[in-house]
Amino acid sequence: MTGRAARTAMAVVMALTVAGCGAGDDRASDGAADGRVTGAVTVFAAASLTESFRRIGKDFEAANPGSTVTLNVAGSSALANQISQGAPADVFASAAPANMATVTESGNADGTPTTFARNQLVIAVPRGNPQAVTGLADLSRPGVKVALCAGQVPCGAAARTALEAAGVALTPVTLEQDVKGALAKLKLGEVDAALVYRTDVRAASAEVTGVEFPESARAVNDYPIVALKDAPNPAGARAFVAYVHSAPAQAVLAEAGFQAP
């Protein structure tokens, strides 16, 4: 590992944002040798997976006593870059194949990524829909402030595809680095609408409402997952990937609004 990569890895470890499906870090207890899965499993996951992977992580821990799952959630492009620069992680779950390709093409994947879910955009508006937004064209009306994801992250790429399909041109007041950032701008009242995933609206349904639009069908995102080549806990990495494809985990994802792969 280069000096730069080492510094990046240290920064990522210090910045792990959501930890904590379990407590403690017990990598030394990786029990792969006796067939059990124990120890810490660090999962880098797209921000749109936050709520679902928190629950799946807890379920994984319950199914594998002695294991702990730590989540690092952010935009898929940022996570892919961190992994490529040497950040210590066991699993990568991306919101789009393009960002997964950054990891596979740099030789950091252990095997071939597999698609475990799909997701679709909606227009998030405040409850009551005060701007009476019914479709993408309404977002280009004068005075309507819109938050989008930046183009390099999956929700931004999907939004661009949907807007092009609708023939709508708009200038957002903000471009966020992940979908949770765009939704936060709406919840704070800084914008009138945000293009986010259906799952994000469902998770924040107490505060926002989702407006479906037909062009979103042209921009459905596949979510791939893979164990990482230099995973500190390779047995845990492979077990977590398998668990995400299991019926219990798929039920969690479906309840959150994800589509089956």
Side-chain angles (χ1 to χ4, degrees):
M1 183 183 297
T2 66
R4 179 183 177 185
R7 289 192 297 274
T8 300
M10 182 63 70
V12 170
V13 168
M14 295 176 66
L16 288 175
T17 39
V18 182
C21 292
D25 187 352
D26 189 15
R27 293 190 183 283
S29 68
D30 181 354
D34 62 6
R36 295 182 301 112
V37 174
T38 60
V41 181
T42 300
V43 178
F44 280 27
S48 50
L49 292 165
T50 300
E51 294 84 5
S52 298
F53 267 34
R54 280 178 180 163
R55 183 171 164 189
I56 288 172
K58 290 179 179 177
D59 292 345
F60 178 85
E61 291 172 352
N64 298 277
S67 66
T68 58
V69 176
T70 298
L71 299 181
N72 178 25
V73 291
S76 295
S77 59
L79 295 174
N81 288 333
Q82 290 170 10
I83 292 167
S84 297
Q85 293 173 7
D90 295 297
V91 174
F92 178 43
S94 172
N99 303 103
M100 179 60 77
T102 301
V103 172
T104 57
E105 291 173 2
S106 61
N108 287 305
D110 178 15
T112 302
T114 51
T115 300
F116 65 95
R118 293 189 167 92
N119 211 352
Q120 202 161 335
L121 294 177
V122 299
I123 305 169
V125 297
R127 291 189 67 82
N129 194 2
Q131 291 281 2
V133 172
T134 60
L136 290 177
D138 291 326
L139 303 184
S140 63
R141 293 198 319 247
V144 176
K145 294 180 289 186
V146 179
L148 298 180
C149 295
Q152 72 270 22
V153 294
C155 57
R160 184 169 53 198
T161 299
L163 289 166
E164 289 175 354
V168 172
L170 62 84
T171 303
V173 298
T174 182
L175 289 171
E176 298 296 320
Q177 292 305 308
D178 63 52
V179 71
K180 296 300 185 186
L183 188 62
K185 294 294 184 182
L186 178 67
K187 292 162 71 174
L188 290 169
E190 297 181 14
V191 298
D192 303 303
L195 275 179
V196 301
Y197 293 119
R198 181 182 293 156
T199 53
D200 298 296
V201 168
R202 185 171 295 191
S205 60
E207 301 171 83
V208 305
T209 297
V211 177
E212 301 277 351
F213 58 96
E215 296 84 0
S216 68
R218 306 275 293 273
V220 177
N221 276 9
D222 287 351
Y223 280 59
I225 189 169
V226 74
L228 296 173
K229 182 179 179 182
D230 295 325
N233 186 349
R238 290 190 289 271
F240 188 85
V241 171
Y243 188 81
V244 168
H245 284 284
S246 72
Q250 288 292 305
V252 171
L253 292 163
E255 184 179 340
F258 287 98
Q259 301 164 23

